[in-house]
Amino acid sequence: QVQLVESGGGLVQTGDSLRLSCAASGRTVITYGLAWFRQAPGKEREFVARIAWSGSNSAYADSVKGRFTISADNAKKTVNLHMTSLKPEDTAVYYCAAGRVPSTDAKAFASWGQGTQVTVSS
């Protein structure tokens, strides 16, 4: 049982940067897998990036590789997503998720945040 709260979303321009944060609380001791997903209007939720609290097992979707960086701060119990070179196609609601194992499959995560909107203007 982990609670997640995202923050940092907003309206930016193409090529800009933005940092999203996710604060975790509750039974984080049983949470080993952390991830960011996003969902655009009318589309299915898609994997963005994953990581473990230790910083290992990081992975990225091909669409964001080289532009986004995921990080985890075990002391502060936060998961961050630093996004650079943003494109209009990055526009979506971004969700952080927590589960037992770092995964690219949304079904593997039992805990989800409420989401934060990221809008990139062209």
Side-chain angles (χ1 to χ4, degrees):
Q1 191 173 349
V2 177
Q3 293 77 49
L4 304 171
V5 180
E6 303 99 331
S7 63
L11 174 63
V12 297
Q13 298 180 2
T14 297
D16 208 349
S17 299
L18 196 63
R19 177 175 289 175
L20 306 182
S21 295
C22 175
S25 61
R27 293 196 67 192
T28 56
V29 66
I30 64 172
T31 300
Y32 299 104
L34 306 160
W36 285 93
F37 289 79
R38 67 186 182 186
Q39 187 167 24
K43 295 187 176 181
E44 295 184 1
R45 189 167 300 185
E46 66 173 338
F47 166 77
V48 176
R50 77 178 190 196
I51 198 171
W53 280 119
S54 64
S56 64
N57 290 310
S58 62
Y60 299 87
D62 289 339
S63 60
V64 306
K65 193 173 298 182
R67 299 189 298 119
F68 291 10
T69 302
I70 188 171
S71 62
D73 187 330
N74 195 22
K76 290 183 174 293
K77 292 295 185 285
T78 60
V79 184
N80 302 309
L81 185 69
H82 187 211
M83 307 181 292
T84 64
S85 301
L86 284 164
K87 308 173 181 178
E89 49 263 46
D90 294 319
T91 296
V93 177
Y94 284 71
Y95 300 89
C96 65
R100 295 180 180 179
V101 179
S103 177
T104 60
D105 188 350
K107 296 180 180 178
F109 297 90
S111 300
W112 293 84
Q114 83 287 352
T116 184
Q117 176 71 47
V118 173
T119 302
V120 185
S121 63
S122 59

